[in-house]
Amino acid sequence: MDTTQNLVHGAGLGLRRSFLSQIVESPPENVGFYEVAPENWITIGGKYAKQFRAMTERFDFICHGLSLSIGSTDPLDEKFVREVKQFMAEHQIKFYSEHLSYCSKDGHLYDLMPIPFTSEAVTHVAGRIRRVQDILEQKIAIENVSYYAAPGQEMAEIDFFNAVIEEADCDVLIDINNIYVNSVNHGYDAEAFLKAMPAHRIAYAHIAGHYVEAEDFLVDTHGADVVDPVWKLLGKAYELYGVFPTLLERDFNLPAMDELIREVNTISAIQTAWGAQHARQFA
């Protein structure tokens, strides 16, 4: 089954409908790829559909799902997975990623809930991921998520994550901000977590901002600028594993396009710096 690795490159940006027209008219030079939530675009029509087609014909795209609910005990929504497959084929979208969480229980919960870190959950979730991959006929990338409680915990977050990824034989969307947020909220070493990730499976990364509720409590919002410790953790990831595609997530409190592109350019600058360093090391 095809891997998702090396299918996109450089620094990416999550595409939002609010700035679609601006991007179509004047695409930023430094954005190497875009990401969309398929739930928000599959049924789109009219002017937006034409503009979206204009973008997918020119640039590389990834789908990042919001509602698959891969960890739920509800039946897997195979109809939705097939709709995603058709959407991806129609727009030549490179691959699909989802969260290691669930968002439904006899109906949608409208939030990403933590899966219990148990061996039973590993088997359950990995089987559902394999089924999605069978339908899509390609590997998907699974994201490490932020969480605020760990009910029924039998193992550490990193051990649970790695067990799911290994048993499902899927790829990884590494979320740098989520590692940092969880490290503060749950009192673990972010770099140690990073070093334990299955680096050979990394397809791409997310980086985003968060809200500081208290010194020891951060909330993953995607609604603020990326903070310096998160930028440094991204640099550490490149130092450990080499440069991989990295996308800026900004879902709320959207700033002017210049501000978004400034952060995309920061990703590019860190990638260039660490790419040059790795080139010197292996010259």
Side-chain angles (χ1 to χ4, degrees), residues 175 177 206-210 220 222 224-227 230 247-249:
D175 192 301
N177 183 63
H206 278 170
I207 194 165
H210 55 258
D220 177 37
H222 303 169
D225 292 348
V226 181
V227 298
V230 176
L247 180 130
L248 176 69
E249 280 192 299

Side-chain angles (χ1 to χ4, degrees), residues 46-209:
K47 175 185 175 182
Y48 285 132
K50 292 178 181 177
Q51 290 178 324
F52 183 63
R53 167 67 73 182
M55 289 294 292
T56 60
E57 287 177 348
R58 297 173 64 188
F59 302 100
D60 289 340
F61 270 75
I62 293 169
C63 275
H64 182 52
L66 299 173
S67 64
L68 183 60
S69 200
I70 200 68
S72 178
T73 54
D74 290 347
L76 184 66
D77 190 347
E78 295 190 2
K79 178 177 179 289
F80 169 68
V81 178
R82 290 187 171 88
E83 289 173 349
V84 169
K85 183 178 183 178
Q86 181 179 346
F87 176 71
M88 291 171 63
E90 180 183 349
H91 291 282
Q92 296 299 297
I93 292 171
K94 298 297 184 179
F95 60 91
Y96 177 68
S97 64
E98 248 291 359
H99 307 81
L100 186 58
S101 62
Y102 72 98
C103 58
S104 65
K105 177 57 178 152
D106 301 323
H108 275 279
L109 303 173
Y110 301 102
D111 207 350
L112 297 174
M113 307 297 290
I115 303 168
F117 299 155
T118 67
S119 57
E120 182 181 8
V122 168
T123 301
H124 173 71
V125 177
R128 287 163 70 92
I129 294 171
R130 288 196 303 269
R131 178 57 183 155
V132 172
Q133 293 183 146
D134 287 344
I135 295 171
L136 294 180
E137 299 181 273
Q138 68 176 141
K139 287 188 178 183
I140 67 174
I142 292 294
E143 178 184 6
N144 57 293
V145 298
S146 57
Y147 65 100
Y148 306 97
Q153 182 171 356
E154 294 177 0
M155 61 182 79
E157 176 195 351
I158 186 61
D159 295 333
F160 175 74
F161 181 82
N162 285 347
V164 170
I165 300 304
E166 182 66 26
E167 188 166 329
D169 190 23
C170 62
D171 288 329
V172 168
L173 159 52
I174 180 172
D175 192 301
I176 303 297
N177 183 63
N178 287 350
I179 294 175
Y180 180 74
V181 165
N182 290 346
S183 75
V184 172
N185 292 345
H186 302 289
Y188 65 67
D189 186 298
E191 286 192 17
F193 187 99
L194 190 62
K195 290 175 181 177
M197 294 286 280
H200 62 290
R201 294 183 181 271
I202 296 173
Y204 74 120
H206 278 170
I207 194 165

Side-chain angles (χ1 to χ4, degrees), residues 182-259:
N182 290 346
S183 75
V184 172
N185 292 345
H186 302 289
Y188 65 67
D189 186 298
E191 286 192 17
F193 187 99
L194 190 62
K195 290 175 181 177
M197 294 286 280
H200 62 290
R201 294 183 181 271
I202 296 173
Y204 74 120
H206 278 170
I207 194 165
H210 55 258
Y211 175 72
V212 180
E213 179 71 30
E215 186 176 330
D216 58 352
F217 183 40
L218 309 180
V219 182
D220 177 37
T221 60
H222 303 169
D225 292 348
V226 181
V227 298
D228 191 54
V230 176
W231 287 124
K232 289 180 177 177
L233 195 60
L234 178 64
K236 173 57 70 172
Y238 292 158
E239 178 185 353
L240 290 170
Y241 304 131
V243 173
F244 41 74
T246 302
L247 180 130
L248 176 69
E249 280 192 299
R250 186 69 180 256
D251 296 332
F252 305 101
N253 299 324
L254 288 169
M257 182 57 60
D258 287 350
E259 288 299 302

